[in-house]
Amino acid sequence: MARLLRSATWRLFPWRGYCSQKAKGELCRDFVEALKAVVGGSHVSTAAVVREQHGRDESVHRCEPPDAVVWPQNVEQVSRLAALCYRQGVPIIPFGTGTGLEGGVCAVQGGVCVNLTHMDRILELNQEDFSVVVEPGVTRKALNAHLRDSGLWFPVDPGADASLCGMAATGASGTNAVRYGTMRDNVLNLEVVLPDGRLLHTAGRGRHFRKSAAGYNLTGLFVGSEGTLGLITATTLRLHPAPEATVAATCAFPSVQAAVDSTVHILQAAVPVARIEFLDEVMMDACNRYSKLNCLVAPTLFLEFHGSQQALEEQLQRTEEIVQQNGASDFSWAKEAEERSRLWTARHNAWYAALAMRPGCKGYSTDVCVPLSRLSEIVVQTKEDLKASGLTGSAHPAAGERWGGVRADQSLGQQEARGGLGWRIVLSSGPPGSIVGHVGDGNFHCILLVNPDDAEELGRVKAFAEQLGRRALALHGTCTGEHGIGMGKRQLLREEVGAVGVETMRQLKAVLDPQGLMNPGKVL
Amino acid sequence: MARLLRSATWRLFPWRGYCSQKAKGELCRDFVEALKAVVGGSHVSTAAVVREQHGRDESVHRCEPPDAVVWPQNVEQVSRLAALCYRQGVPIIPFGTGTGLEGGVCAVQGGVCVNLTHMDRILELNQEDFSVVVEPGVTRKALNAHLRDSGLWFPVDPGADASLCGMAATGASGTNAVRYGTMRDNVLNLEVVLPDGRLLHTAGRGRHFRKSAAGYNLTGLFVGSEGTLGLITATTLRLHPAPEATVAATCAFPSVQAAVDSTVHILQAAVPVARIEFLDEVMMDACNRYSKLNCLVAPTLFLEFHGSQQALEEQLQRTEEIVQQNGASDFSWAKEAEERSRLWTARHNAWYAALAMRPGCKGYSTDVCVPLSRLSEIVVQTKEDLKASGLTGSAHPAAGERWGGVRADQSLGQQEARGGLGWRIVLSSGPPGSIVGHVGDGNFHCILLVNPDDAEELGRVKAFAEQLGRRALALHGTCTGEHGIGMGKRQLLREEVGAVGVETMRQLKAVLDPQGLMNPGKVL
């Protein structure tokens, strides 16, 4: 349908970038030459393999390659590219690290993919103002490496080493959001190339104040707009003082309810926890195997605390009291950097740990977020839905459904002894579905493994994800806490914000991108 | 000009709410009857005194009364009112407590003032989810009184007991923002009646999750839109755990620079200070007099810390070390609730303390906000500008410019002995201008006292405020940290966000309010 629409467009406007005499989706040679004139011949590619690489992210969404990929070197080139595409009616898809999970870079109507990774300078660090300006090629790890000796850091951490401008475009968050907020809370200003090539500074050029009440919050509008309103060419971020000391902890619970209750109690006690992450027993098992951990295979919380030595001791003590009241066992603190890093690397690799449970499969991650009071209800229900959908597996086929209390190295000694990533989980009833979540925000992910060539299984995964989305909506939640709408959740967005909400978003899109050229087929 | 435009409108459309045969701005009797049919006869007024009361806020902006005032009782009535005005082309001005400082309620094109204070229910408190839903008549003090036994509170505190929906409309913040954020950070959802009467729930009806990446951030767009995009009829707010213990403190500094440097050092040391407020010596003197304090007349910080007893002691100790390194003296903690309340009441009454320095005058408060690193520079410069403009005064005419170290009760014993609010400050060189600021955010206010009948003085005040706004812009700051653009800062907004920024805002306004009926003449 999308292709048809595009085809209709270039038939109506034969002078546009698409050529009617060529294969559908192929760009005019003149247009490709015009792209080369802007960025230089070596920074344009129409090679199939390059286009394929740029038409997919880490999700199960089918690859839809763009017609060309360009690598601008600076904002002036981005602006000229946008103006060129605008005149010619050619879609634009911004591209960062390609680590999205909702098909945000799929070129559903073809067009030009603008790969922004060559623009990778840290433009300005204002230590005393706790702010930094970065170009789109700068990733969160690169920024934090740069900040190492400054006493500051950027805490938003979605796991993948995504580009910071891409994270702004998606409205990303991750493990530290419970204390430090999401990208929505930490972006102070954006430099945006609008669809027609004009340059917008959402808070005014060069501005990096901590708060403002000056006019409409354009920064907030572009954060999370998923490349559908313009190309983000620089972002000004709020930095935070690096914590004086850090302690991580893990604890196992007899039930999901106990883990979630502990979370609510910790937040109610105003313990300023920096991270509080939930892993169900399937995920804990997968992480034990993939990352060589030795945790109990049970519903588990990973926590992290930031503060002074003295403040940490109090936070630890309070937390320990709370989790023990909720029946936690196998409580262990990790104060050494190496040990902490091992835990959090394992947590960040949860996605890959899940994928390793079924080699050759693709992963799909759900992303609902609900009010805290509804979290244990939906997680428990989701585990039952997983079973009913035949999407759950068990790493303990002998023990069946009895989790909680069996140490991974006891039951899985044999498998572990084989080492490496090559081992296979014996599945009791189909592909394993595991749960991991930023439980302090009410946000959790079901990681579903699917054989992309098995249409029936793919259908079951999609049906499960939609059912979960609707469960979240029924509990006053959202269908996406941090991954975005992308291609697959447009119907859920309509159910979430209602007809007037979607109509309002459509009006905003129509006025800012009147030709509908910016990352078409996403969000709306 | 605005009147002329309106007049042109109703001449073109004689069927509209304004009647050509009546005095300019007067509404048709039929239209007034239609208003009464919606809200009931007793909830509509066209009396001059009522209209006057609703055409002004607490600022120096000239009162522009609306043509009628209505008091809807529920959201359905608001929706019908909006639809009625939309059909008839009549402007709408939302009205809360009238405590704004930028003329936001002035009816510059006449129209209907919608006073929302009769809708004053707390609709839903979700303790475990840290959220609450309030109607527009609920003020921040009323909410916190309601929350008293819940273990939760709402921290955003602009001083005045404003309505929470009004605070959302303005993007208010105040003394706790340094730790708890502004309204932008604490509004989870808004119920908005759009100009044509349709009902929008910016995050979806009934939703109160902590984060979301679902589509464009409509909540963020309406927060701070100053009533120009729709009428806010309910707001869902994020609550915070009430602090276990609280300590306030004051300390005096030898210079503005020393006070600001202390602030930056405290933030860099990651002390989670809840409030850090600056008062210059003129304001400190005014507060001593108005609120019967006994502080040194010098540049002063008021601080507050929230946390557990143990955490507080550490915060206090670190802060004391930092301020003493910066030459602070007269350092005193206030741990008792009564003593704290006295200090913060004095801080909140700073506006009235300033007004009391020159009875009969109106106040005008500037509101710039700059990056922290530029704060002391601009405050020092501003004090010089105040002198140069003849807008500064002295409560110590004998001591001239020698501040810092003289206790108020020593030098001002005679005046204080007279008691009450009736005393007069002896002015050395014109109306006194004092400075008070949310220094942890880089936001400060110059409170200027002006005789509204003295055109020359009013002109000097306006020129000074504009100059200060431009100084802030030159230092990468904003012309308004929390009061909004209102009527007076539209030119500064253009300079702040640039032509493309203002054009983008205009596009958003045009598409959401195509007839330009929502609070016309504000922001843009």
Side-chain angles (χ1 to χ4, degrees):
Chain A
M1 177 62 189
R3 289 267 174 190
L4 275 176
L5 278 176
R6 177 160 59 108
S7 146
T9 304
W10 55 252
R11 269 184 207 135
L12 281 167
F13 305 99
W15 44 269
R16 290 197 167 193
Y18 293 107
C19 306
S20 53
Q21 74 276 24
K22 304 217 173 180
K24 196 164 69 182
E26 206 173 326
L27 294 169
C28 277
R29 198 167 59 191
D30 286 356
F31 183 76
V32 175
E33 289 306 312
L35 293 175
K36 287 182 180 172
V38 175
V39 294
S42 62
H43 297 135
V44 177
S45 176
T46 53
V49 61
V50 173
R51 295 191 293 110
E52 290 279 335
Q53 281 166 358
H54 285 79
R56 66 161 62 91
D57 58 10
E58 296 198 2
S59 72
V60 291
H61 292 290
R62 197 161 61 92
C63 180
E64 303 258 17
D67 301 311
V69 181
V70 296
W71 286 262
Q73 309 299 304
N74 54 52
V75 63
E76 291 73 26
Q77 290 184 358
V78 179
S79 177
R80 287 171 60 201
L81 286 170
L84 175 63
C85 290
Y86 190 79
R87 283 195 305 274
Q88 305 283 312
V90 176
I92 290 179
I93 307 99
F95 192 97
T97 51
T99 46
L101 294 171
E102 287 299 341
V105 297
C106 298
V108 293
Q109 293 183 27
V112 174
C113 172
V114 180
N115 182 319
L116 294 153
T117 51
H118 286 195
M119 294 168 60
D120 62 354
R121 288 175 303 166
I122 294 172
L123 294 174
E124 195 182 314
L125 171 62
N126 301 294
Q127 277 185 247
E128 216 172 312
D129 300 325
F130 304 85
S131 75
V132 70
V133 187
V134 296
E135 287 189 327
V138 179
T139 67
R140 63 173 187 88
K141 284 187 185 171
L143 174 61
N144 279 323
H146 183 83
L147 294 174
R148 195 163 286 146
D149 300 322
S150 70
L152 300 171
W153 74 310
F154 185 68
V156 183
D157 175 0
D161 188 22
S163 77
L164 293 153
C165 290
M167 286 164 60
T170 315
S173 47
T175 53
N176 288 302
V178 64
R179 170 145 174 189
Y180 298 96
T182 71
M183 288 305 281
R184 287 189 177 176
D185 306 302
N186 286 285
V187 174
L188 300 175
N189 201 350
L190 292 171
E191 180 186 75
V192 178
V193 170
L194 293 172
D196 60 4
R198 284 176 306 146
L199 198 61
L200 168 69
H201 294 89
T202 54
R205 185 187 290 266
R207 309 205 178 280
H208 57 279
F209 34 70
R210 287 165 80 99
K211 69 177 192 186
S212 171
Y216 305 147
N217 183 359
L218 299 181
T219 306
L221 181 60
F222 279 85
V223 172
S225 63
E226 304 188 37
T228 63
L229 301 178
L231 296 118
I232 298 175
T233 51
T235 176
T236 306
L237 299 167
R238 180 170 179 166
L239 301 175
H240 297 258
E244 183 182 317
T246 302
V247 177
T250 59
C251 46
F253 290 86
S255 66
V256 170
Q257 179 82 46
V260 174
D261 285 351
S262 298
T263 305
V264 173
H265 298 160
I266 289 167
L267 295 176
Q268 278 174 336
V271 178
V273 61
R275 289 168 157 168
I276 184 162
E277 296 283 306
F278 171 75
L279 295 82
D280 78 345
E281 63 283 359
V282 181
M283 182 54 88
M284 196 61 254
D285 186 42
C287 287
N288 273 336
R289 291 157 181 260
Y290 185 82
S291 298
K292 306 273 176 288
L293 297 183
N294 193 21
C295 294
L296 267 183
V297 176
T300 300
L301 289 180
F302 278 29
L303 301 107
E304 191 165 278
F305 303 91
H306 297 167
S308 66
Q309 290 293 356
Q310 197 181 323
L312 282 188
E313 286 193 13
E314 194 187 16
Q315 291 182 38
L316 294 179
Q317 191 193 331
R318 292 198 164 204
T319 303
E320 191 157 357
E321 282 165 23
I322 291 169
V323 297
Q324 281 177 351
Q325 278 162 12
N326 284 290
S329 61
D330 208 41
F331 197 57
S332 65
W333 306 117
K335 295 192 182 179
E336 299 310 316
E338 200 183 333
E339 207 181 340
R340 276 192 282 113
S341 164
R342 195 158 148 261
L343 272 181
W344 288 109
T345 303
R347 167 62 191 87
H348 280 151
N349 285 334
W351 172 251
Y352 303 104
L355 289 180
M357 288 198 282
R358 203 182 176 204
C361 278
K362 296 275 275 181
Y364 179 74
S365 172
T366 67
D367 181 39
V368 302
C369 178
V370 295
L372 284 177
S373 64
R374 315 309 290 269
L375 186 59
S376 68
E377 177 183 348
I378 194 171
V379 172
V380 168
Q381 184 61 60
T382 298
K383 293 186 75 66
E384 286 173 17
D385 290 344
L386 276 172
K387 278 183 225 161
S389 311
L391 293 171
T392 187
S394 161
H396 298 262
E401 293 303 314
R402 285 183 54 247
W403 299 101
V406 186
R407 208 169 260 288
D409 54 353
Q410 290 165 358
S411 64
L412 303 171
Q414 282 192 307
Q415 289 95 323
E416 283 222 318
R418 289 186 224 157
L421 307 182
W423 50 259
R424 294 286 300 261
I425 293 182
V426 183
L427 301 172
S428 61
S429 58
S434 50
I435 293 178
V436 61
H438 314 306
V439 76
D441 301 316
N443 181 209
F444 72 92
H445 311 300
C446 247
I447 301 183
L448 305 163
L449 303 178
V450 58
N451 175 353
D453 300 325
D454 182 340
E456 185 278 330
E457 195 174 276
L458 205 58
R460 267 191 296 148
V461 163
K462 285 189 176 167
F464 170 85
E466 274 202 18
Q467 181 190 34
L468 176 52
R470 294 206 168 91
R471 277 200 195 284
L473 296 185
L475 299 176
H476 309 297
T478 172
C479 66
T480 174
E482 55 184 20
H483 296 170
I485 295 295
M487 296 169 67
K489 292 186 198 144
R490 289 175 293 170
Q491 174 55 33
L492 287 171
L493 175 65
R494 171 169 283 274
E495 294 170 31
E496 179 167 331
V497 301
V500 176
V502 165
E503 176 54 25
T504 304
M505 291 183 192
R506 270 192 208 289
Q507 288 179 302
L508 300 178
K509 166 78 175 174
V511 76
L512 295 178
D513 179 21
Q515 295 194 67
L517 296 177
M518 282 306 310
N519 206 7
K522 315 299 161 56
V523 182
L524 295 168
Chain B
M1 178 62 190
R3 289 266 176 193
L4 275 177
L5 278 175
R6 175 159 61 107
S7 144
T9 303
W10 55 252
R11 269 184 206 134
L12 280 167
F13 305 98
W15 45 268
R16 292 197 165 193
Y18 293 107
C19 307
S20 54
Q21 75 276 23
K22 304 220 171 177
K24 197 164 66 181
E26 206 172 329
L27 294 169
C28 276
R29 197 167 58 191
D30 286 356
F31 183 77
V32 174
E33 289 306 314
L35 293 175
K36 287 181 180 171
V38 175
V39 295
S42 62
H43 297 135
V44 177
S45 175
T46 53
V49 61
V50 173
R51 295 192 293 110
E52 290 279 336
Q53 280 165 358
H54 285 79
R56 66 160 61 92
D57 57 10
E58 295 198 3
S59 71
V60 289
H61 292 290
R62 197 161 61 92
C63 180
E64 303 260 16
D67 302 311
V69 181
V70 296
W71 287 262
Q73 310 299 303
N74 53 52
V75 62
E76 291 74 25
Q77 290 184 359
V78 178
S79 177
R80 288 171 59 202
L81 286 170
L84 175 63
C85 289
Y86 190 79
R87 284 195 304 275
Q88 305 282 312
V90 176
I92 290 180
I93 306 100
F95 191 96
T97 50
T99 45
L101 294 171
E102 286 300 340
V105 299
C106 298
V108 291
Q109 294 184 24
V112 175
C113 173
V114 179
N115 182 320
L116 294 153
T117 52
H118 286 195
M119 295 168 61
D120 61 355
R121 289 175 304 166
I122 293 172
L123 295 174
E124 196 182 313
L125 171 60
N126 302 293
Q127 276 185 248
E128 217 172 309
D129 300 326
F130 304 86
S131 75
V132 70
V133 187
V134 297
E135 288 190 327
V138 180
T139 66
R140 64 174 186 88
K141 284 186 183 172
L143 174 61
N144 279 324
H146 182 84
L147 294 174
R148 194 163 289 145
D149 299 322
S150 69
L152 299 170
W153 74 310
F154 185 69
V156 182
D157 174 359
D161 188 22
S163 78
L164 292 154
C165 291
M167 285 164 60
T170 316
S173 47
T175 54
N176 288 302
V178 64
R179 171 149 173 184
Y180 298 96
T182 70
M183 288 306 278
R184 288 190 175 176
D185 306 302
N186 286 285
V187 175
L188 300 175
N189 202 349
L190 293 170
E191 182 186 74
V192 178
V193 170
L194 294 172
D196 60 5
R198 284 176 306 147
L199 198 60
L200 169 70
H201 295 88
T202 54
R205 185 187 291 267
R207 310 203 177 282
H208 57 279
F209 35 69
R210 287 165 80 99
K211 69 177 192 186
S212 171
Y216 305 147
N217 184 359
L218 299 180
T219 307
L221 181 61
F222 280 85
V223 171
S225 62
E226 303 187 38
T228 63
L229 302 178
L231 296 118
I232 297 174
T233 52
T235 177
T236 306
L237 298 167
R238 181 171 180 164
L239 301 175
H240 296 257
E244 184 182 316
T246 303
V247 177
T250 59
C251 46
F253 290 87
S255 66
V256 170
Q257 178 82 45
V260 174
D261 285 351
S262 298
T263 305
V264 174
H265 297 160
I266 289 166
L267 295 177
Q268 278 174 336
V271 177
V273 61
R275 289 168 157 169
I276 184 161
E277 297 282 306
F278 171 76
L279 295 83
D280 78 345
E281 65 281 1
V282 181
M283 180 54 87
M284 195 62 255
D285 186 43
C287 287
N288 274 337
R289 290 157 181 261
Y290 185 82
S291 298
K292 306 276 175 288
L293 297 182
N294 192 21
C295 294
L296 267 182
V297 176
T300 299
L301 289 181
F302 278 29
L303 301 108
E304 192 167 277
F305 303 91
H306 297 167
S308 66
Q309 291 293 358
Q310 196 181 323
L312 283 187
E313 288 195 11
E314 194 188 15
Q315 291 181 38
L316 295 180
Q317 191 192 331
R318 292 198 165 205
T319 304
E320 191 157 355
E321 281 165 22
I322 291 169
V323 298
Q324 282 177 350
Q325 277 162 12
N326 284 289
S329 61
D330 208 41
F331 198 56
S332 65
W333 306 115
K335 295 192 182 180
E336 299 309 316
E338 199 182 336
E339 206 181 340
R340 274 191 285 116
S341 164
R342 194 158 150 261
L343 271 182
W344 288 109
T345 302
R347 166 62 191 87
H348 281 151
N349 285 334
W351 172 251
Y352 305 103
L355 290 180
M357 288 198 282
R358 203 182 176 204
C361 279
K362 297 274 278 183
Y364 179 75
S365 171
T366 67
D367 181 36
V368 300
C369 178
V370 295
L372 285 177
S373 63
R374 316 308 290 268
L375 186 59
S376 68
E377 175 183 349
I378 194 170
V379 172
V380 168
Q381 183 62 58
T382 298
K383 294 186 75 67
E384 284 172 19
D385 290 345
L386 277 171
K387 277 184 226 160
S389 310
L391 293 171
T392 188
S394 163
H396 298 260
E401 294 302 315
R402 284 184 53 249
W403 299 98
V406 186
R407 211 169 257 288
D409 54 352
Q410 291 166 355
S411 63
L412 304 170
Q414 282 193 309
Q415 288 95 323
E416 284 222 320
R418 290 187 221 157
L421 307 183
W423 49 259
R424 292 285 302 259
I425 293 182
V426 183
L427 300 172
S428 60
S429 55
S434 51
I435 292 178
V436 61
H438 315 306
V439 75
D441 301 315
N443 181 209
F444 71 94
H445 310 299
C446 244
I447 301 182
L448 305 163
L449 303 178
V450 57
N451 176 355
D453 301 326
D454 182 340
E456 185 276 331
E457 194 173 278
L458 206 57
R460 265 191 298 149
V461 163
K462 285 188 177 168
F464 171 85
E466 274 202 15
Q467 180 190 35
L468 176 53
R470 295 207 168 92
R471 275 199 196 285
L473 296 185
L475 298 175
H476 310 296
T478 171
C479 67
T480 173
E482 56 185 19
H483 295 171
I485 295 295
M487 297 169 66
K489 292 186 198 144
R490 290 176 292 171
Q491 174 56 32
L492 287 172
L493 175 65
R494 171 170 283 275
E495 294 170 31
E496 180 167 332
V497 300
V500 176
V502 165
E503 176 55 25
T504 304
M505 291 182 191
R506 269 192 209 289
Q507 287 180 302
L508 299 178
K509 166 79 174 173
V511 77
L512 295 177
D513 180 21
Q515 293 194 68
L517 296 176
M518 282 305 310
N519 205 8
K522 317 295 161 58
V523 182
L524 293 169

